[in-house]
Amino acid sequence: RLLALQQTTDRRIGPFDIEYRFRRRDGSIRWIRDRGETLGPLDPVTGLAWKVRGTVTDITDQKRHDPVAAAGTETFRQVIERSPFGIVVVDSAFRLVALSGGAQQALGHISPLLGRDYEEILRLYWDEPFASAVVAAFRHTLATGETYHASDSEHRRDDAGEAAFDWTLEQIVLPDGQPGVACYFHDMTELNSRVRALRESEQRLQLAHEAAGMGAWDLDLATGDAYWTPHLYRRLDLPEAAPASADLLFDQVHPEDRTALRAAFDRAVST
């Protein structure tokens, strides 16, 4: 919830007001009210605001007498609806009662959404057995209050093949005083696809190096971090456990060639 607020206020000028729970080092839970304002103008390149400032108030005692959580406030509903990231809220009857713009985009091919049994929505969205596993996780959090997190789970969707999400379930209290479940999720599908493509490209390049009997290296001039391919280690007769570095490479060069190689290297990085 707090992450959703941050990601929204970073890009939207104006006031904000949200309540959330904070876990202290001794394990106790405190309720916090966070009120402030996002200041502009927005950066034309990053789209981020210039500054965000606010005040934090401990409202734990108030919450003990008034159990209505942040999900029941209008400001929190606005944060949900305007968030580009995935947020859905399910009530005690397992009906979908709120969703963000990001969730609307992800579930847009299903209609209607609000007020609909969320188990039905999940079974329309996911194939089995994953659909049943997600339903069980929601119902467990609703019944027990235990937070649930699934990192980068990839499964088949009914409408568009494989999809991957990082998602968290958290029990909240709704305006009627009954428990509900908020789900915060990020669509990782495109990122995972790019990572796989990059990994496959690197594997193909390594195969090409191996076939040509070539070793390859990479050096970050800002940090000094270096990478050597396994074939280069073998060429230099060094164990792959040895940390790669420019100095280690120069140490392997014949003393009569070392000065000339260093001079050539310095000219290359300075031009």
Side-chain angles (χ1 to χ4, degrees), residues 20 23 47 54 77 99 116 120 142 153 159 175 179 194 201 211 222 237 247 257:
Y20 53 89
R23 185 185 299 275
R77 290 187 181 278
L99 75 164
R116 189 168 184 172
E120 183 180 348
L142 182 62
S153 56
D159 68 310
R194 292 180 179 178
S201 176
D237 195 26
D247 288 338
D257 297 332

Side-chain angles (χ1 to χ4, degrees), residues 192-247:
N192 285 1
S193 178
R194 292 180 179 178
V195 169
R196 279 195 298 268
L198 178 60
R199 186 181 300 118
E200 291 169 359
S201 176
E202 291 174 344
Q203 290 171 347
R204 287 193 295 269
L205 181 60
Q206 183 172 338
L207 288 173
H209 286 157
E210 294 288 344
M214 295 170 55
W217 56 273
D218 187 271
L219 176 64
D220 187 321
L221 296 176
T223 65
D225 293 337
Y227 168 77
W228 294 356
T229 62
H231 194 79
L232 180 56
Y233 275 102
R234 292 196 296 272
R235 282 288 184 183
L236 298 175
D237 195 26
L238 291 171
E240 291 188 28
S245 69
D247 288 338

Side-chain angles (χ1 to χ4, degrees), residues 56-226:
V56 173
T57 307
D58 189 325
I59 58 171
T60 306
D61 292 338
Q62 175 186 337
K63 281 293 181 181
R64 287 171 179 162
H65 296 92
D66 179 10
V68 178
T73 66
E74 181 62 26
T75 51
F76 181 63
R77 290 187 181 278
Q78 291 177 359
V79 169
I80 291 177
E81 292 170 359
R82 295 175 182 176
S83 173
F85 302 96
I87 305 174
V88 298
V89 178
V90 176
D91 68 7
S92 59
F94 219 68
R95 295 170 300 190
L96 180 63
V97 294
L99 75 164
S100 67
Q104 178 75 50
Q105 183 176 0
L107 301 172
H109 65 288
I110 300 175
S111 181
L113 285 171
L114 287 176
R116 189 168 184 172
D117 184 276
Y118 198 57
E119 178 173 347
E120 183 180 348
I121 293 174
L122 290 172
R123 295 191 184 281
L124 287 172
Y125 194 81
W126 294 109
D127 275 356
E128 292 292 357
F130 186 62
S132 292
V134 177
V135 171
F138 264 85
R139 293 196 181 280
H140 182 76
T141 296
L142 182 62
T144 67
E146 293 181 8
T147 298
Y148 178 87
H149 178 72
S151 178
D152 198 10
S153 56
E154 187 169 56
H155 298 275
R156 177 165 293 278
R157 276 169 37 184
D158 271 354
D159 68 310
E162 296 288 334
F165 289 91
D166 186 291
W167 51 289
T168 299
L169 303 179
E170 178 184 317
Q171 188 189 79
I172 60 175
V173 180
L174 297 174
D176 60 3
Q178 296 299 310
V181 175
C183 175
Y184 315 103
F185 64 87
H186 299 275
D187 190 338
M188 308 292 289
T189 308
E190 184 177 352
L191 176 61
N192 285 1
S193 178
R194 292 180 179 178
V195 169
R196 279 195 298 268
L198 178 60
R199 186 181 300 118
E200 291 169 359
S201 176
E202 291 174 344
Q203 290 171 347
R204 287 193 295 269
L205 181 60
Q206 183 172 338
L207 288 173
H209 286 157
E210 294 288 344
M214 295 170 55
W217 56 273
D218 187 271
L219 176 64
D220 187 321
L221 296 176
T223 65
D225 293 337

